[in-house]
Amino acid sequence: MFLFLSVSFVAFSQEVQVTGTVTDPAGEPLPGVNIIVQGTATGTITNVDGVYKIEVPGDATLKFNFIGFESQEIPVDNRQTIDVVLQEELMSLDEVVVVGYGVQKKSDVTGSITSVDTEGLRDVASSSISKALQGKTAGVEIQNVGNKPGGETRIRIRGNRSLTATNDPLLILDGIPYSGDLSDIASDDVESIEILKDASATVIYGSRGANGVIIVTTKRGIAGKTKITYNGYAGVNKVARYYDVYNAEEFVKLRTAAGNTTDYLSSEIESLKAGRETDWQDIGFQSGIVTNHEVGVNGGTQDTQYSFSLGYYDETYVIENMGYDRYNFRAAIDQQIGDRVKVGISTMNVIANTEGESADPTWSLVSMSPLVAPYNPDGSLNEQPMYGVDDTYSPLTLQDKTRWDEQRRKFTSFNTGYVQVDIWNGIQYKLNAGLDFSTNKYNRYYGSDTPFQNGAQNEAQVQNLDNLSWTIENMLLWNKTLGAHRLNFTGMQSIQKSNNTSSRFTATNVAADYLQYNNLYLSDNVAANRYNNYATEWSLSSYMARVNYVYDDRYLVTLSGRADGSSRLADGNKWHYYPAVAIAWNAYNESFLEDVDFLTQLKVRFGYGQTSNTSINPYSTFGSLGTAKYSYGDEGVTGYYVSGLPNPNLGWEFTTSTNVGIDFAFFGGRLSGSADAYMQETNDLILAKSLPYTTTITGSFYENVGKTENKGLEFVLNGILFDARKNGGFNWDVSANLFLNREEIVSLQSGVEKDEGNGWFVGETTSAIYDYEKIGIWQLGEEELAAEYDRSPGDIKIKDNNGDGKITPDDRTIIGSQQPDFSGGFTSSWEYKNLDLSVVGYFRVGGTLISTLHMPNDYVNRLDGRRNGIKVDYWTEDNPTNAYPKPRKDPGSYTNTLGYFDGSFLKIRSINLGYTFKNIINAESKLRIYGSVTDPFILFSPYLDEGGLNPEPTTRAEYSNDSVGLPASNLVVGLSTPPTRKFLFGVNFSF
C-alpha cells in the first residue's frame, strides 16, 4: 500500500511537456493567447501558428485567456497534447478602444466614446464610409446631401454649435489629423472607428474638438501566416422612383386651367392630333453599373508585420457621362528592433475621379412638354424643343461629349511613421509623424448649344487646389500597476503646419468646342475672381497631458488638459488652455453585486470639460482690403480700400460640455447597451457687426458675442435574441440606437433678438424656419372674406397671426425647424449555420423638410401651364382642395409655403443575403457569396405621399438657385437626379 501511494504521488507530480494548438471556432489559429498554470506565475503564449509548448506538473490546470474570447480552464491530467478551441465572448470588457493618443480597455473608458462595428460597414455598399455609417451610431446624424455618385454627406455629432463656422467633426486617421474625407478611405482598410462625443474625451484635441472627433484606424500586419483577402461586388444602379409629372392629357388640362391655351407649339398640336406623347424621364435616365474590388495581404513574424491593400471602385450613374471612380493603395510595415525599439510606417494613396458632377438635366426632363417630340421627323435631335421664350436646349444634347466636358481629379497621399522606445519600467517614448498632401483639379467646358448655356457664349473653367500639411508629435507614455492601483500617463508635445493654395480662371467665348478647357488663351476673356484665388498658411503648437487612474477595477478617474497656440490668432491671444475631468464607477465589480447572476456589466460615467472650434480663418484678425477700378488720367487703374477692420481680440468659440452616462449588460452579454445625457454650452460665437455708414467701411466687423446650447439623450441597445451555441446553429442579433438633440440660440449680438436673413432667432433652434403660415386655400363661398386680404377663391390662405386684418411681413412666424424629434437606426442579423441575412434601417421622426421642388422658384411647380412639372393636387372649382392653389399665369404670393413637409421617414438602407463556404483551400480559407439591395424601401414618409422622391436633402440652400428667401445653411430637397437603388452580387474570399 505504501509503495502504491508513493508511485501515485510521483506520477501526478512529475513535470510533463504539454504542446497543442489554440484556434477559434472557425479553426483559425490564435497567436498571442496567454496560457498560465493556475495558482502560479508560470506561463507562455501561443506563436504565430497558434501553437504553444509548456512544462507543467502532471496534476496542474492550464488557464487560456485571449481578448474577445471566453477563458477556459483545462486540467492537464498528465496529457502531453491539449488542443483548445476558444469560444468568442458575447461581450468583452477587455476589448481595446482607441481613445486618441493611445488605447484603453473598454472597461476603463470614462468618456462618451462609441466604437463602430466595422464589419457592419459592408452591410451598406456605398462609395463612402460616411454613407455606410448612417444610422449606426447614437448621437451622430449623417445626412446624404444629394443622390449623385461620390456625393457629399453632412456629419453632425450632437448637433450644431456654431452659427458661422464649421460644425464638421475633426477626422483623425492613424493618429494624425487628416484634411481629407471619409470617402477617401476604402471600407476594407478600416480596422476600427471610434467616435469621441463629449468634452472629457475630445479635450485632448483642444481647439479642434468642440464638434466631436472621428478616429479611424486602418489595418496593420499581424504575426502569423500570410493571409490574403478579396472583397468584390458588381451590380446595377437603377432609378428607384421617377418624378410624378403630368401626362399629355393632364398637361392640357393644366394649361387650360391656367388660361394658357394659345401658345402651343406646332409639334405639340401634331402630337395632340396623333395621340402621341413623350416620357422624357424614360428617355433621359438609364441604368448604371457599380463595381468594387479590394485585395488585401496581411501577415508577418514576431518581429516584422506587414499589410498591403489595393482597391478600385467605379460607379456609372443613371445619367449618361456622369460617374465616379476611385483607386486606393495602402501599405503598412511594423518592425521590432531589439527588445526596446519598434518602428513603423504607413501610406495611403487615393486617386478619385468625378465626371459630370454638374451634368444634371433633371430640370429639362421634368419640365419638357410631354407633347413635344425629342427627335425631328428625319431622326435628328430636336435641339430646342421648348417654347421660344425659354431658348432651352434639349437635355439629350448632353449625350454628345464634344459639346461639353467636366472632370474633377483628386489625388491624396497620407503618410505616417512612428518610433517607439521602451525606456524603463513601463515608460515609453513615441514619435509620431504625418505628411498629408492632396491636390484637387477641376476642369469644365460648357458649349453654347447645351442646357448649361442655352445659346449664350461658351464657357470654360480651370481650378486647382493644393494642400500640404505635416504633423510631428512627441509622446511620453507610462503604465504602472501597484496591487489594486493602475496608473496611466500620456504626455504629448506637437506641432502642425498647413499650406493651402487655390487658383481659378474662367474663360468665355473659347475659339472652338474641341479646345474645351485646354487652352484658355484662345478665348475672348479670361477672369479670376477674388474668392477662389488665394494662398494661406497656418500652424498649431500644442501640449497635452492625460492621467488615467483605476482602483481595484471599480473606481476610475481621468484628468486631461491641453494647451494650443495658434497662428490664426493675434499676439496676446494665441494660447488657450483646455481642462477636463471624467470619473466612472464600475459597480459590477462591487462585492455586494457579485451574487447578481444576471448582471454582466454596470458602469456609471460622468464627464466635464471645455473645447473649442477652430472657427477663424487665417488672417481674419488682420482686417481686409477691397479693390475698385477707376480712371486715373488716361489709364484705368485698381485702387484699394479698407473693407474690414482688424480685431486683435478675436478668439475661438468655446464649448463647455457635461455628460452623464451608464453602460450595462445582462445575461452574459446577451443584452447590453448604454444611455447618455448631455448638456453643451457654446460661448463667444463669432458674429458680424455692421459698421455705421460714416466709417465708409462696407465690410462687417467680427466679434465674439453669441451663445448657443445643445442638450440631448442617447440610447443604445444590443441583443442576442437567439444564440447559435444553444439553438442548433441559429443566431439572431439586433442592435438599435435612438437619440434626440435640442438646439437653442441663447443670445446673438447685444440687443439683437433675431436675424431674419440668416434664420437666427433667440430661443429657437439654429435651423428654425421663419415664414408665413399656410392654413389652406380660399374656397368658393369665402369671396367676401378673401377680398379683405386682397385674395380670391383658389389663392393660398395665410394665417393673420397679429389679427390686424391684413397679411404683412409681421405675420411671419416660426413654423418649424429642421431638427427632428428623434432619430436612430437599427441592424438585424440572422445566421443559420453558413447562411446569413441582415437588414439595416435608418429613421427620423419629426422636423420640417424644405422642398424647393414644390416652391415655384424652380419653375416646375409654378402651375402656369407654360411647362410641365410635378403633379400636384391643384385647386379648381370642381376640385376644391386645400393643398395647392389654382393654376394661373402668375404663381402669386406666399408660394414658399407650399414647400414645407413633415420630415419623418423610415429608410431600409440595405438587405443582404449570403452563404459561406469553409475550408475551400485550407482550414483558414472561407468563401462568402452574397446578394444585396441598397435603399430598397422608404416607409412612413408624408413627403413621399405628397409626390416627393426622397425625404433626404439633395443640396444646401446656398447652392440652390431655387432657395429664394431661405437661409444659406438650410438643407433642402431640390430638383435633382432621382434616388437610385442598387442590386449587387458580391464575393468575400480569404485564405
Side-chain angles (χ1 to χ4, degrees):
M1 174 66 88
F2 174 78
L3 180 61
F4 174 77
L5 292 174
S6 298
V7 171
S8 298
F9 176 79
V10 172
F12 282 93
S13 62
Q14 67 182 358
E15 296 283 323
V16 295
Q17 188 178 77
V18 180
T19 62
T21 303
V22 182
T23 61
D24 65 11
E28 296 192 13
L30 296 175
V33 176
N34 192 27
I35 305 164
I36 297 177
V37 180
Q38 198 168 37
T40 74
T42 303
T44 186
I45 62 173
T46 57
N47 65 14
V48 295
D49 298 317
V51 175
Y52 71 94
K53 182 186 296 183
I54 188 172
E55 289 192 2
V56 299
D59 59 349
T61 297
L62 297 179
K63 186 173 183 178
F64 297 79
N65 293 297
F66 193 57
I67 292 176
F69 290 80
E70 295 179 351
S71 299
Q72 285 195 33
E73 297 179 4
I74 300 177
V76 174
D77 290 337
N78 284 319
R79 289 178 291 174
Q80 295 182 344
T81 302
I82 301 177
D83 294 328
V84 179
V85 178
L86 293 183
Q87 299 295 323
E88 295 182 7
E89 285 187 320
L90 296 180
M91 186 186 72
S92 174
L93 299 181
D94 290 327
E95 177 185 344
V96 172
V97 175
V98 179
V99 294
Y101 303 113
V103 296
Q104 287 183 338
K105 291 196 303 182
K106 187 175 181 179
S107 58
D108 289 348
V109 172
T110 55
S112 182
I113 300 176
T114 297
S115 294
V116 177
D117 175 19
T118 53
E119 288 297 320
L121 293 178
R122 292 184 183 150
D123 290 340
V124 181
S126 67
S127 60
S128 172
I129 292 175
S130 57
K131 295 179 184 291
L133 280 173
Q134 188 182 52
K136 295 275 189 179
T137 307
V140 181
E141 183 179 54
I142 299 177
Q143 290 183 280
N144 294 320
V145 185
N147 302 317
K148 299 174 184 177
E152 68 171 309
T153 54
R154 192 182 80 166
I155 302 176
R156 294 291 180 265
I157 299 177
R158 294 184 168 179
N160 295 289
R161 299 156 189 80
S162 180
L163 297 179
T164 59
T166 178
N167 285 287
D168 296 334
L170 174 66
L171 178 57
I172 302 295
L173 179 59
D174 290 332
I176 300 294
Y178 180 51
S179 62
D181 303 316
L182 282 172
S183 60
D184 298 332
I185 308 169
S187 59
D188 258 23
D189 288 341
V190 177
E191 179 67 27
S192 67
I193 298 177
E194 273 76 30
I195 299 177
L196 282 55
K197 295 186 286 190
D198 75 325
S200 70
T202 65
V203 70
I204 57 175
Y205 294 104
S207 60
R208 295 170 294 179
N211 298 329
V213 181
I214 300 176
I215 301 177
V216 179
T217 303
T218 59
K219 293 177 180 178
R220 303 192 80 91
I222 300 175
K225 294 180 180 178
T226 298
K227 184 176 181 180
I228 299 175
T229 61
Y230 168 76
N231 173 39
Y233 58 79
V236 295
N237 205 5
K238 300 182 72 68
V239 173
R241 289 169 295 279
Y242 287 109
Y243 288 98
D244 189 13
V245 298
Y246 300 102
N247 61 29
E249 181 182 355
E250 293 165 337
F251 183 58
V252 170
K253 289 182 179 179
L254 172 66
R255 296 194 65 172
T256 302
N260 193 346
T261 59
T262 61
D263 296 331
Y264 282 99
L265 299 172
S266 59
S267 59
E268 289 183 300
I269 296 173
E270 291 175 6
S271 294
L272 284 171
K273 293 178 179 179
R276 179 184 65 199
E277 63 181 297
T278 300
D279 187 338
W280 285 97
Q281 294 183 82
D282 185 61
I283 296 173
F285 295 123
Q286 62 180 16
S287 294
I289 303 296
V290 183
T291 58
N292 182 70
H293 304 280
E294 295 173 280
V295 178
V297 180
N298 190 300
T301 65
Q302 294 287 4
D303 291 333
T304 306
Q305 299 88 43
Y306 55 85
S307 177
F308 304 97
S309 69
L310 287 170
Y312 171 66
Y313 179 90
D314 181 62
E315 181 176 355
T316 60
Y317 203 49
V318 295
I319 293 175
E320 191 170 349
N321 298 318
M322 179 185 286
Y324 172 81
D325 63 71
R326 183 186 64 223
Y327 301 83
N328 295 74
F329 169 71
R330 185 188 58 84
I333 300 176
D334 300 285
Q335 176 67 50
Q336 184 75 39
I337 303 174
D339 295 331
R340 295 182 178 272
V341 179
K342 189 172 185 179
V343 299
I345 59 173
S346 69
T347 180
M348 183 188 77
N349 300 275
V350 184
I351 298 176
N353 302 300
T354 305
E355 181 181 11
E357 63 185 66
S358 300
D360 187 352
T362 305
W363 183 85
S364 298
L365 295 175
V366 170
S367 62
M368 288 283 187
S369 167
L371 295 171
V372 172
Y375 298 99
N376 297 314
D378 62 0
S380 61
L381 182 66
N382 183 1
E383 297 210 356
Q384 290 182 284
M386 294 288 280
Y387 308 106
V389 68
D390 286 333
D391 289 326
T392 301
Y393 274 74
S394 168
L396 303 184
T397 58
L398 296 182
Q399 296 175 1
D400 180 3
K401 285 300 291 290
T402 65
R403 304 183 187 216
W404 73 284
D405 192 23
E406 184 178 33
Q407 304 283 340
R408 183 184 296 277
R409 170 166 290 189
K410 182 180 178 183
F411 170 72
T412 301
S413 182
F414 185 76
N415 308 276
T416 66
Y418 72 88
V419 177
Q420 181 175 299
V421 181
D422 293 331
I423 300 174
W424 173 77
N425 197 24
I427 300 175
Q428 291 182 333
Y429 165 77
K430 188 174 184 180
L431 168 67
N432 276 343
L435 180 66
D436 183 359
F437 171 74
S438 66
T439 179
N440 191 326
K441 184 177 182 179
Y442 173 76
N443 299 316
R444 70 165 169 83
Y445 173 75
Y446 294 161
S448 175
D449 51 354
T450 64
F452 301 118
Q453 301 301 105
N454 289 319
Q457 289 183 339
N458 61 38
E459 183 180 275
Q461 188 178 98
V462 173
Q463 182 173 14
N464 294 287
L465 300 100
D466 295 292
N467 169 263
L468 176 64
S469 62
W470 53 265
T471 303
I472 297 177
E473 299 173 341
N474 294 284
M475 300 172 59
L476 192 64
L477 312 169
W478 182 46
N479 290 281
K480 190 67 176 178
T481 300
L482 295 171
H485 305 272
R486 283 191 284 119
L487 188 67
N488 173 277
F489 170 79
T490 302
M492 187 273 300
Q493 176 273 329
S494 75
I495 185 167
Q496 182 181 2
K497 191 170 185 177
S498 178
N499 293 274
N500 297 272
T501 61
S502 173
S503 61
R504 189 173 89 175
F505 301 93
T506 303
T508 55
N509 203 20
V510 178
D513 280 343
Y514 68 83
L515 291 172
Q516 296 194 339
Y517 43 73
N518 294 304
N519 191 344
L520 301 189
Y521 174 76
L522 296 175
S523 61
D524 285 352
N525 181 56
V526 179
N529 66 43
R530 58 176 294 192
Y531 299 106
N532 299 102
N533 292 275
Y534 59 82
T536 63
E537 179 179 287
W538 59 266
S539 59
L540 185 71
S541 181
S542 306
Y543 298 89
M544 187 276 296
R546 178 177 61 206
V547 177
N548 301 101
Y549 171 72
V550 180
Y551 174 69
D552 199 26
D553 287 330
R554 292 182 292 164
Y555 310 112
L556 305 92
V557 178
T558 300
L559 300 175
S560 308
R562 176 158 172 149
D564 277 347
S566 175
S567 67
R568 302 177 189 229
L569 303 178
D571 291 339
N573 290 301
K574 290 185 180 294
W575 285 89
H576 189 78
Y577 305 91
Y578 304 91
V581 60
I583 58 176
W585 174 37
N586 266 324
Y588 170 71
N589 291 329
E590 296 287 356
S591 58
F592 60 81
L593 290 176
E594 64 182 4
D595 294 328
V596 182
D597 296 334
F598 64 84
L599 187 64
T600 308
Q601 181 194 21
L602 183 61
K603 182 169 69 175
V604 181
R605 297 175 278 105
F606 171 82
Y608 174 85
Q610 184 191 69
T611 55
S612 70
N613 185 342
T614 308
S615 47
I616 301 174
N617 292 325
Y619 321 119
S620 294
T621 59
F622 293 164
S624 59
L625 295 176
T627 62
K629 303 287 187 181
Y630 67 98
S631 298
Y632 184 76
D634 296 331
E635 298 181 356
V637 297
T638 300
Y640 297 88
Y641 62 91
V642 176
S643 59
L645 288 179
N647 182 1
N649 296 316
L650 200 62
W652 299 139
E653 300 178 344
F654 297 104
T655 298
T656 302
S657 170
T658 303
N659 190 95
V660 178
I662 183 172
D663 304 320
F664 57 85
F666 305 102
F667 313 116
R670 291 193 62 171
L671 181 64
S672 63
S674 64
D676 282 81
Y678 61 86
M679 167 75 80
Q680 299 176 145
E681 294 181 343
T682 301
N683 296 284
D684 295 338
L685 295 182
I686 298 176
L687 299 176
K689 181 178 181 180
S690 298
L691 299 174
Y693 290 110
T694 54
T695 65
T696 71
I697 296 174
T698 57
S700 298
F701 179 74
Y702 288 91
E703 54 185 348
N704 298 100
V705 291
K707 181 178 179 180
T708 60
E709 180 181 278
N710 280 268
K711 52 190 174 184
L713 300 172
E714 300 169 358
F715 304 96
V716 177
L717 193 62
N718 305 302
I720 301 176
L721 305 185
F722 289 90
D723 187 350
R725 295 174 297 182
K726 300 178 181 180
N727 292 280
F730 177 67
N731 198 85
W732 183 8
D733 295 347
V734 176
S735 62
N737 68 82
L738 182 147
F739 59 95
L740 57 92
N741 180 75
R742 296 293 177 264
E743 301 172 358
E744 181 182 345
I745 298 175
V746 178
S747 65
L748 296 169
Q749 300 95 324
S750 177
V752 176
E753 291 295 316
K754 62 181 179 179
D755 182 334
E756 295 178 10
N758 286 307
W760 302 335
F761 302 87
V762 173
E764 301 292 341
T765 74
T766 62
S767 62
I769 299 172
Y770 183 71
D771 207 339
Y772 297 98
E773 185 177 353
K774 173 178 172 283
I775 56 176
I777 303 295
W778 288 106
Q779 302 294 332
L780 295 173
E782 297 180 312
E783 290 86 350
E784 186 175 337
L785 182 58
E788 295 180 12
Y789 293 95
D790 196 25
R791 302 284 97 186
S792 61
D795 289 340
I796 298 172
K797 182 189 292 187
I798 299 298
K799 185 176 181 180
D800 182 7
N801 279 306
N802 62 7
D804 64 354
K806 54 186 177 180
I807 303 299
T808 68
D810 292 336
D811 289 305
R812 290 175 298 168
T813 185
I814 303 296
I815 61 173
S817 81
Q818 295 192 288
Q819 176 179 270
D821 296 335
F822 57 88
S823 305
F826 64 88
T827 301
S828 184
S829 303
W830 299 266
E831 294 180 15
Y832 179 68
K833 297 184 178 179
N834 294 347
L835 188 68
D836 63 87
L837 173 67
S838 65
V839 176
V840 179
Y842 165 64
F843 60 85
R844 283 168 59 95
V845 176
T848 301
L849 179 153
I850 302 175
S851 174
T852 61
L853 177 68
H854 289 80
M855 297 176 178
N857 295 315
D858 64 5
Y859 288 89
V860 294
N861 191 32
R862 289 179 66 87
L863 297 176
D864 58 3
R866 182 170 147 189
R867 304 175 184 87
N868 202 355
I870 305 300
K871 185 162 63 175
V872 297
D873 182 22
Y874 59 81
W875 186 94
T876 65
E877 293 186 2
D878 297 327
N879 182 44
T881 177
N882 275 297
Y884 292 88
K886 63 184 177 184
R888 51 194 287 180
K889 291 186 177 182
D890 175 8
S893 307
Y894 318 121
T895 52
N896 266 16
T897 61
L898 302 174
Y900 302 123
F901 298 87
D902 182 347
S904 302
F905 67 88
L906 166 62
K907 175 179 282 190
I908 303 300
R909 295 297 321 282
S910 70
I911 301 175
N912 310 278
L913 178 64
Y915 189 87
T916 301
F917 300 90
K918 300 179 180 179
N919 304 321
I920 301 297
I921 298 176
N922 51 39
E924 293 84 26
S925 62
K926 291 190 296 184
L927 171 66
R928 177 176 178 263
I929 59 174
Y930 65 92
S932 176
V933 55
T934 62
D935 296 326
F937 309 117
I938 298 177
L939 306 171
F940 312 117
S941 171
Y943 181 59
L944 262 64
D945 294 341
E946 291 289 334
L949 298 190
N950 189 355
E952 291 195 87
T954 60
T955 188
R956 304 170 191 266
E958 61 185 312
Y959 303 144
S960 174
N961 294 328
D962 314 326
S963 304
V964 178
L966 297 176
S969 60
N970 285 140
L971 295 181
V972 300
V973 179
L975 191 62
S976 179
T977 52
T980 61
R981 183 179 295 131
K982 297 183 180 72
F983 298 89
L984 306 172
F985 174 79
V987 174
N988 304 130
F989 183 47
S990 64
F991 64 94

